[in-house]
Every structure is written in C-alpha cells, then in structure tokens.
Amino acid sequence: MPATTVADVVKNMDIHSTESSGPVETPIRADGEDHATHIANDTECGLSRALPTGDVRSGVAAAKRIETGTARIDGPTVGDEAQMPFCGVKATGYGRFGGSAAIDEFSEPLWITIEYPKRRYLT
C-alpha cells in the first residue's frame, strides 16, 4: 500500500482509535502541547510516535508525557536498532524484542543442580 494521509480525522473515527498496519498518517490539529498530549494518549494504541518539534528539549519533554513504546523526535516512526528493545504499550501488544530485553522477555531461567550419589566429603 502506498503511504497515505487521512485528513480531517476526529476522535470518533476508527482510524483515530485503532492501530493501522500500513503506512498511514492521521494528522489531528491540536491547540497547544497539552492538547496534543491528550490527543496522543486518548487511544488504546501505543506502538510508536513521531514528534516533529525542531527542538530536542521540547521533544524529549513531550516523549516523556506520551504513552508509547517508542518516541522518535524529528524522525520517522521506523528505523529499528538491533541493540534496542522494540515494544508497544496499551493494546498494541506485550513483550519486547531486540537487544538483551528480548532475552529477558522470551526466556525463563532454569537452575538445575545434580547431586552425585557417590560423592565423598572429607572430614
């Protein structure tokens, strides 16, 4: 599917509250940072967010307020790095993959000991 922008999105539309599996952008006009944070968090989705700010400091501050697994400041929502955990929050999914987080998430430690019956202890 080609990259698509859906204009004039409002809160009661499915495209606002459900996760799209395609390259779809749904811009919603906000009246300031607090309103933009509310719009971003007012969904059951939380995989990745792009934060076009032009200002790293305000981008980091916004990223800390938005409920998402990945926040990309002044960049696209794609571009995984193997050493970093990739994850979602809310209804987007559970678990982490990538980096050492994947080992913790997808494995269960098991400790096995063996006692040899003919072991002799020095006294």
Side-chain angles (χ1 to χ4, degrees), residues 69-72 79-88 95-103 105-106:
T70 303
R72 313 259 185 191
D80 297 335
E81 296 181 25
Q83 76 277 10
M84 298 305 296
F86 185 75
C87 56
R96 307 286 187 262
F97 62 90
S100 61
I103 295 169
E105 201 67 35
F106 294 108

PDB file of all heavy atoms in Angstrom, residues 69-72 79-88 95-103 105-106:
ATOM      1  N   GLY A  69       5.531   3.055  23.186  1.00  0.00           N
ATOM      2  CA  GLY A  69       6.699   2.200  23.349  1.00  0.00           C
ATOM      3  C   GLY A  69       7.948   2.817  22.762  1.00  0.00           C
ATOM      4  O   GLY A  69       9.053   2.597  23.234  1.00  0.00           O
ATOM      5  N   THR A  70       7.787   3.615  21.708  1.00  0.00           N
ATOM      6  CA  THR A  70       8.906   4.267  21.040  1.00  0.00           C
ATOM      7  C   THR A  70       8.494   5.683  20.661  1.00  0.00           C
ATOM      8  O   THR A  70       7.413   5.880  20.127  1.00  0.00           O
ATOM      9  CB  THR A  70       9.300   3.503  19.754  1.00  0.00           C
ATOM     10  OG1 THR A  70       9.600   2.152  20.093  1.00  0.00           O
ATOM     11  CG2 THR A  70      10.502   4.133  19.089  1.00  0.00           C
ATOM     12  N   ALA A  71       9.337   6.637  20.946  1.00  0.00           N
ATOM     13  CA  ALA A  71       9.089   8.024  20.551  1.00  0.00           C
ATOM     14  C   ALA A  71      10.265   8.475  19.694  1.00  0.00           C
ATOM     15  O   ALA A  71      11.412   8.392  20.110  1.00  0.00           O
ATOM     16  CB  ALA A  71       8.942   8.919  21.771  1.00  0.00           C
ATOM     17  N   ARG A  72       9.982   8.933  18.505  1.00  0.00           N
ATOM     18  CA  ARG A  72      11.018   9.380  17.571  1.00  0.00           C
ATOM     19  C   ARG A  72      10.914  10.897  17.418  1.00  0.00           C
ATOM     20  O   ARG A  72       9.934  11.397  16.897  1.00  0.00           O
ATOM     21  CB  ARG A  72      10.836   8.719  16.214  1.00  0.00           C
ATOM     22  CG  ARG A  72      10.603   7.237  16.298  1.00  0.00           C
ATOM     23  CD  ARG A  72      11.830   6.474  16.001  1.00  0.00           C
ATOM     24  NE  ARG A  72      11.505   5.051  15.975  1.00  0.00           N
ATOM     25  CZ  ARG A  72      12.397   4.120  15.947  1.00  0.00           C
ATOM     26  NH1 ARG A  72      13.658   4.428  15.916  1.00  0.00           N
ATOM     27  NH2 ARG A  72      12.057   2.857  15.940  1.00  0.00           N
ATOM     28  N   GLY A  79      12.788   2.464  11.797  1.00  0.00           N
ATOM     29  CA  GLY A  79      14.237   2.566  11.925  1.00  0.00           C
ATOM     30  C   GLY A  79      14.737   1.873  13.171  1.00  0.00           C
ATOM     31  O   GLY A  79      15.387   2.497  14.001  1.00  0.00           O
ATOM     32  N   ASP A  80      14.412   0.602  13.319  1.00  0.00           N
ATOM     33  CA  ASP A  80      14.825  -0.150  14.498  1.00  0.00           C
ATOM     34  C   ASP A  80      16.338  -0.295  14.566  1.00  0.00           C
ATOM     35  O   ASP A  80      17.027  -0.301  13.559  1.00  0.00           O
ATOM     36  CB  ASP A  80      14.196  -1.550  14.474  1.00  0.00           C
ATOM     37  CG  ASP A  80      12.694  -1.488  14.530  1.00  0.00           C
ATOM     38  OD1 ASP A  80      12.162  -0.487  15.044  1.00  0.00           O
ATOM     39  OD2 ASP A  80      12.047  -2.433  14.067  1.00  0.00           O
ATOM     40  N   GLU A  81      16.835  -0.447  15.767  1.00  0.00           N
ATOM     41  CA  GLU A  81      18.236  -0.727  16.007  1.00  0.00           C
ATOM     42  C   GLU A  81      18.299  -2.027  16.801  1.00  0.00           C
ATOM     43  O   GLU A  81      17.595  -2.190  17.799  1.00  0.00           O
ATOM     44  CB  GLU A  81      18.887   0.409  16.790  1.00  0.00           C
ATOM     45  CG  GLU A  81      18.908   1.717  16.007  1.00  0.00           C
ATOM     46  CD  GLU A  81      19.585   2.829  16.772  1.00  0.00           C
ATOM     47  OE1 GLU A  81      20.425   2.544  17.641  1.00  0.00           O
ATOM     48  OE2 GLU A  81      19.275   3.984  16.488  1.00  0.00           O
ATOM     49  N   ALA A  82      19.122  -2.960  16.342  1.00  0.00           N
ATOM     50  CA  ALA A  82      19.153  -4.320  16.902  1.00  0.00           C
ATOM     51  C   ALA A  82      19.410  -4.356  18.405  1.00  0.00           C
ATOM     52  O   ALA A  82      18.909  -5.227  19.100  1.00  0.00           O
ATOM     53  CB  ALA A  82      20.205  -5.153  16.176  1.00  0.00           C
ATOM     54  N   GLN A  83      20.165  -3.424  18.923  1.00  0.00           N
ATOM     55  CA  GLN A  83      20.508  -3.453  20.343  1.00  0.00           C
ATOM     56  C   GLN A  83      19.429  -2.844  21.235  1.00  0.00           C
ATOM     57  O   GLN A  83      19.509  -2.917  22.447  1.00  0.00           O
ATOM     58  CB  GLN A  83      21.849  -2.751  20.584  1.00  0.00           C
ATOM     59  CG  GLN A  83      21.797  -1.240  20.534  1.00  0.00           C
ATOM     60  CD  GLN A  83      21.858  -0.648  19.137  1.00  0.00           C
ATOM     61  OE1 GLN A  83      21.766  -1.359  18.149  1.00  0.00           O
ATOM     62  NE2 GLN A  83      22.021   0.643  19.054  1.00  0.00           N
ATOM     63  N   MET A  84      18.412  -2.244  20.628  1.00  0.00           N
ATOM     64  CA  MET A  84      17.380  -1.577  21.414  1.00  0.00           C
ATOM     65  C   MET A  84      16.103  -2.402  21.457  1.00  0.00           C
ATOM     66  O   MET A  84      15.716  -2.994  20.461  1.00  0.00           O
ATOM     67  CB  MET A  84      17.064  -0.204  20.803  1.00  0.00           C
ATOM     68  CG  MET A  84      18.247   0.737  20.794  1.00  0.00           C
ATOM     69  SD  MET A  84      18.994   0.976  22.424  1.00  0.00           S
ATOM     70  CE  MET A  84      17.673   1.751  23.308  1.00  0.00           C
ATOM     71  N   PRO A  85      15.424  -2.422  22.609  1.00  0.00           N
ATOM     72  CA  PRO A  85      14.164  -3.155  22.674  1.00  0.00           C
ATOM     73  C   PRO A  85      13.081  -2.416  21.903  1.00  0.00           C
ATOM     74  O   PRO A  85      12.955  -1.202  21.994  1.00  0.00           O
ATOM     75  CB  PRO A  85      13.855  -3.184  24.172  1.00  0.00           C
ATOM     76  CG  PRO A  85      14.587  -2.024  24.744  1.00  0.00           C
ATOM     77  CD  PRO A  85      15.812  -1.840  23.890  1.00  0.00           C
ATOM     78  N   PHE A  86      12.327  -3.149  21.114  1.00  0.00           N
ATOM     79  CA  PHE A  86      11.201  -2.562  20.383  1.00  0.00           C
ATOM     80  C   PHE A  86       9.940  -3.086  21.032  1.00  0.00           C
ATOM     81  O   PHE A  86       9.817  -4.287  21.273  1.00  0.00           O
ATOM     82  CB  PHE A  86      11.249  -2.964  18.906  1.00  0.00           C
ATOM     83  CG  PHE A  86      10.184  -2.300  18.082  1.00  0.00           C
ATOM     84  CD1 PHE A  86      10.298  -0.970  17.740  1.00  0.00           C
ATOM     85  CD2 PHE A  86       9.061  -3.004  17.691  1.00  0.00           C
ATOM     86  CE1 PHE A  86       9.317  -0.340  16.986  1.00  0.00           C
ATOM     87  CE2 PHE A  86       8.075  -2.383  16.936  1.00  0.00           C
ATOM     88  CZ  PHE A  86       8.208  -1.052  16.594  1.00  0.00           C
ATOM     89  N   CYS A  87       9.026  -2.205  21.345  1.00  0.00           N
ATOM     90  CA  CYS A  87       7.871  -2.619  22.114  1.00  0.00           C
ATOM     91  C   CYS A  87       6.722  -1.656  21.935  1.00  0.00           C
ATOM     92  O   CYS A  87       6.891  -0.553  21.439  1.00  0.00           O
ATOM     93  CB  CYS A  87       8.243  -2.670  23.580  1.00  0.00           C
ATOM     94  SG  CYS A  87       8.893  -1.085  24.182  1.00  0.00           S
ATOM     95  N   GLY A  88       5.571  -2.106  22.346  1.00  0.00           N
ATOM     96  CA  GLY A  88       4.403  -1.254  22.381  1.00  0.00           C
ATOM     97  C   GLY A  88       3.855  -1.216  23.787  1.00  0.00           C
ATOM     98  O   GLY A  88       4.282  -1.962  24.663  1.00  0.00           O
ATOM     99  N   GLY A  95       5.348  -7.481  25.563  1.00  0.00           N
ATOM    100  CA  GLY A  95       6.657  -8.030  25.282  1.00  0.00           C
ATOM    101  C   GLY A  95       7.588  -7.044  24.625  1.00  0.00           C
ATOM    102  O   GLY A  95       7.208  -5.949  24.237  1.00  0.00           O
ATOM    103  N   ARG A  96       8.807  -7.467  24.524  1.00  0.00           N
ATOM    104  CA  ARG A  96       9.854  -6.670  23.915  1.00  0.00           C
ATOM    105  C   ARG A  96      10.657  -7.580  23.004  1.00  0.00           C
ATOM    106  O   ARG A  96      10.852  -8.749  23.305  1.00  0.00           O
ATOM    107  CB  ARG A  96      10.813  -6.117  24.974  1.00  0.00           C
ATOM    108  CG  ARG A  96      10.154  -5.370  26.115  1.00  0.00           C
ATOM    109  CD  ARG A  96       9.670  -4.013  25.644  1.00  0.00           C
ATOM    110  NE  ARG A  96       9.174  -3.196  26.724  1.00  0.00           N
ATOM    111  CZ  ARG A  96       7.889  -3.074  27.034  1.00  0.00           C
ATOM    112  NH1 ARG A  96       6.995  -3.758  26.399  1.00  0.00           N
ATOM    113  NH2 ARG A  96       7.505  -2.273  27.984  1.00  0.00           N
ATOM    114  N   PHE A  97      11.118  -7.064  21.905  1.00  0.00           N
ATOM    115  CA  PHE A  97      12.068  -7.818  21.108  1.00  0.00           C
ATOM    116  C   PHE A  97      13.169  -6.890  20.662  1.00  0.00           C
ATOM    117  O   PHE A  97      12.975  -5.693  20.527  1.00  0.00           O
ATOM    118  CB  PHE A  97      11.408  -8.549  19.928  1.00  0.00           C
ATOM    119  CG  PHE A  97      10.745  -7.671  18.910  1.00  0.00           C
ATOM    120  CD1 PHE A  97      11.452  -7.186  17.822  1.00  0.00           C
ATOM    121  CD2 PHE A  97       9.417  -7.345  19.028  1.00  0.00           C
ATOM    122  CE1 PHE A  97      10.846  -6.383  16.880  1.00  0.00           C
ATOM    123  CE2 PHE A  97       8.801  -6.535  18.084  1.00  0.00           C
ATOM    124  CZ  PHE A  97       9.513  -6.063  17.005  1.00  0.00           C
ATOM    125  N   GLY A  98      14.344  -7.459  20.498  1.00  0.00           N
ATOM    126  CA  GLY A  98      15.516  -6.665  20.167  1.00  0.00           C
ATOM    127  C   GLY A  98      16.393  -6.486  21.383  1.00  0.00           C
ATOM    128  O   GLY A  98      15.919  -6.267  22.493  1.00  0.00           O
ATOM    129  N   GLY A  99      17.687  -6.633  21.182  1.00  0.00           N
ATOM    130  CA  GLY A  99      18.634  -6.420  22.261  1.00  0.00           C
ATOM    131  C   GLY A  99      18.481  -7.420  23.391  1.00  0.00           C
ATOM    132  O   GLY A  99      17.812  -8.441  23.274  1.00  0.00           O
ATOM    133  N   SER A 100      19.090  -7.114  24.531  1.00  0.00           N
ATOM    134  CA  SER A 100      19.035  -8.024  25.673  1.00  0.00           C
ATOM    135  C   SER A 100      17.634  -8.095  26.269  1.00  0.00           C
ATOM    136  O   SER A 100      17.300  -9.061  26.953  1.00  0.00           O
ATOM    137  CB  SER A 100      20.040  -7.591  26.740  1.00  0.00           C
ATOM    138  OG  SER A 100      19.722  -6.297  27.207  1.00  0.00           O
ATOM    139  N   ALA A 101      16.784  -7.107  26.008  1.00  0.00           N
ATOM    140  CA  ALA A 101      15.413  -7.150  26.509  1.00  0.00           C
ATOM    141  C   ALA A 101      14.664  -8.352  25.961  1.00  0.00           C
ATOM    142  O   ALA A 101      13.824  -8.934  26.638  1.00  0.00           O
ATOM    143  CB  ALA A 101      14.667  -5.861  26.139  1.00  0.00           C
ATOM    144  N   ALA A 102      14.973  -8.755  24.733  1.00  0.00           N
ATOM    145  CA  ALA A 102      14.307  -9.911  24.135  1.00  0.00           C
ATOM    146  C   ALA A 102      14.661 -11.184  24.885  1.00  0.00           C
ATOM    147  O   ALA A 102      13.809 -12.051  25.082  1.00  0.00           O
ATOM    148  CB  ALA A 102      14.694 -10.051  22.668  1.00  0.00           C
ATOM    149  N   ILE A 103      15.895 -11.304  25.320  1.00  0.00           N
ATOM    150  CA  ILE A 103      16.308 -12.487  26.072  1.00  0.00           C
ATOM    151  C   ILE A 103      15.504 -12.569  27.359  1.00  0.00           C
ATOM    152  O   ILE A 103      14.974 -13.627  27.712  1.00  0.00           O
ATOM    153  CB  ILE A 103      17.820 -12.454  26.358  1.00  0.00           C
ATOM    154  CG1 ILE A 103      18.585 -12.537  25.037  1.00  0.00           C
ATOM    155  CG2 ILE A 103      18.226 -13.581  27.304  1.00  0.00           C
ATOM    156  CD1 ILE A 103      20.063 -12.260  25.161  1.00  0.00           C
ATOM    157  N   GLU A 105      12.589 -11.163  27.995  1.00  0.00           N
ATOM    158  CA  GLU A 105      11.158 -11.263  27.720  1.00  0.00           C
ATOM    159  C   GLU A 105      10.740 -12.643  27.226  1.00  0.00           C
ATOM    160  O   GLU A 105       9.670 -13.118  27.548  1.00  0.00           O
ATOM    161  CB  GLU A 105      10.780 -10.208  26.670  1.00  0.00           C
ATOM    162  CG  GLU A 105       9.324  -9.864  26.648  1.00  0.00           C
ATOM    163  CD  GLU A 105       8.828  -9.152  27.877  1.00  0.00           C
ATOM    164  OE1 GLU A 105       9.570  -8.349  28.473  1.00  0.00           O
ATOM    165  OE2 GLU A 105       7.673  -9.401  28.264  1.00  0.00           O
ATOM    166  N   PHE A 106      11.585 -13.269  26.427  1.00  0.00           N
ATOM    167  CA  PHE A 106      11.200 -14.511  25.781  1.00  0.00           C
ATOM    168  C   PHE A 106      11.881 -15.749  26.360  1.00  0.00           C
ATOM    169  O   PHE A 106      11.889 -16.802  25.735  1.00  0.00           O
ATOM    170  CB  PHE A 106      11.480 -14.433  24.273  1.00  0.00           C
ATOM    171  CG  PHE A 106      10.621 -13.428  23.583  1.00  0.00           C
ATOM    172  CD1 PHE A 106      11.154 -12.242  23.122  1.00  0.00           C
ATOM    173  CD2 PHE A 106       9.267 -13.662  23.403  1.00  0.00           C
ATOM    174  CE1 PHE A 106      10.358 -11.301  22.488  1.00  0.00           C
ATOM    175  CE2 PHE A 106       8.467 -12.732  22.775  1.00  0.00           C
ATOM    176  CZ  PHE A 106       9.009 -11.552  22.312  1.00  0.00           C
TER     177      PHE A 106
END
